[in-house]
């Protein structure tokens, strides 16, 4: 395994992060336990979860994923071997069954305390805001709609104050963003610069893959200059970049087969790009999945690459991507496809 550090800290984390969003929906608790056991044995010490999980969210399955992880900690005693990240849900977007009060002080405190109880731990190493409260473009929206109705008032100072108090209490150690824009990222960073008693956002968990490199447009410069590390999610584009959906008969238990509304990476243009990436991998004797993950692993702004798997075979292949070195010829081929079909799946 290769390791990085959470920026501005001495916390050493694996460059491969174990994602957990299928546990409780596509994976049983026993399967989740097997994944955690194997990942830890392979040197993966960074796990990412959220109160919203499993995905797709469902009221009766609220926070089951965190419960699985907590039960594993209790069974194995491995809490001190894992750097643990979780998230508070934002408003709407599948989180209506959780709360409707956004990131108010009471909401953040209640969310943290609920996660701690389910995770059966005294602290969370990295606590993230899952998506913004305000009207902005995330979850596949290409542009910002300036005319949308908005009731949000800037509460970023208050959010950071609440997080500061939770850090002082020892309930969380550090904080990060997720599904955030360049404006939002800089707004949080500047607030903590001006008010130095407030905690600094250290990471940003956004989508990044061969089919969606929009992070490079504005956020990569912020990431590099401000040292806020990318935790790349959906590096396999919901499994599309394994090539398994290119067959005439899609796999029966695969994610997009089960949940066809998760079609962000399945447009005609995205499929065209996927076909070209699959051909490139074949020409160079590479697994398409490992080529896709290895590409993300090469990015200079990456802190950790969040993988997810529903089978042990997938998990092993994904973790092994850390040892795949892409040749200059492969990287040039990737850029040629990207230039011809840039960011087909925002």
């Amino acid at each position: 395994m290769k390791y990085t550090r959470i920026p501005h800290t001495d916390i050493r984390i694996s460059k491969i992060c174990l994602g957990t969003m299928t546990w409780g929906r596509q994976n049983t608790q026993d399967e989740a336990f097997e994944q955690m056991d194997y990942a830890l044995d392979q040197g993966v010490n960074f796990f990412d979860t959220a109160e919203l999980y499993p995905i797709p969210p469902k009221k009766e399955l609220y926070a089951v994923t965190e419960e699985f992880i907590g039960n594993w900690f209790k069974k194995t005693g491995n809490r001190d071997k894992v750097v643990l990240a979780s998230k508070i849900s934002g408003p709407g977007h599948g989180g209506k069954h959780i709360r409707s009060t956004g990131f108010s002080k009471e909401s953040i405190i209640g969310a943290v305390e609920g996660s701690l109880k389910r995770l059966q731990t005294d602290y969370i190493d990295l606590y993230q805001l899952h998506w913004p409260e305000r009207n902005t473009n995330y979850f596949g929206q290409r542009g910002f709609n300036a005319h949308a109705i908005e009731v949000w008032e800037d509460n970023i100072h208050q959010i950071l104050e609440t997080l500061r108090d939770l850090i002082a209490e020892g309930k969380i150690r550090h904080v990060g963003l997720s599904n955030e824009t360049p404006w939002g990222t800089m707004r949080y960073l500047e607030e903590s610069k001006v008010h130095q008693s407030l905690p600094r956002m250290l990471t940003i968990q956004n989508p990044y893959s061969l089919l969606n490199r929009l992070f490079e447009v504005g956020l990569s410069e912020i990431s590099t200059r401000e040292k806020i590390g990318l935790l790349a999610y959906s590096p396999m584009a919901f499994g599309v970049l394994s090539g398994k959906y290119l067959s005439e008969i899609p796999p029966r238990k695969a994610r997009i087969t089960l949940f066809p509304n998760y079609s962000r990476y399945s447009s005609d243009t995205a499929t065209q790009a996927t076909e070209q990436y699959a051909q490139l991998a074949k020409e160079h004797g590479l697994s398409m999945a490992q080529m896709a993950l290895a590409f993300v692993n090469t990015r200079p702004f990456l802190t950790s690459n969040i993988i997810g798997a529903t089978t042990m075979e997938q998990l092993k292949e994904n973790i092994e991507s850390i040892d795949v070195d892409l040749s200059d010829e492969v990287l040039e081929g990737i850029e040629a496809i990207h230039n011809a079909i840039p960011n087909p799946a925002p």
Side-chain angles (χ1 to χ4, degrees), residues 240-255:
V240 166
L241 287 169
S242 69
K244 61 187 176 184
Y245 296 107
L246 295 177
S247 62
E248 291 185 8
I249 302 175
R252 186 168 58 88
K253 293 185 178 180
R255 185 163 191 80

Side-chain angles (χ1 to χ4, degrees), residues 118-154:
R118 290 185 293 269
L119 291 162
Q120 301 188 51
T121 183
D122 296 326
Y123 66 97
I124 296 167
D125 296 284
L126 179 67
Y127 197 65
Q128 304 153 100
L129 308 179
H130 206 152
W131 63 85
E133 288 180 283
R134 66 189 189 279
N135 164 45
T136 189
N137 50 309
Y138 52 89
F139 289 151
Q141 301 173 64
R142 282 192 180 273
F144 170 65
N145 181 2
H147 303 292
I149 297 173
E150 182 169 70
V151 296
W152 177 74
E153 294 183 6
D154 193 323

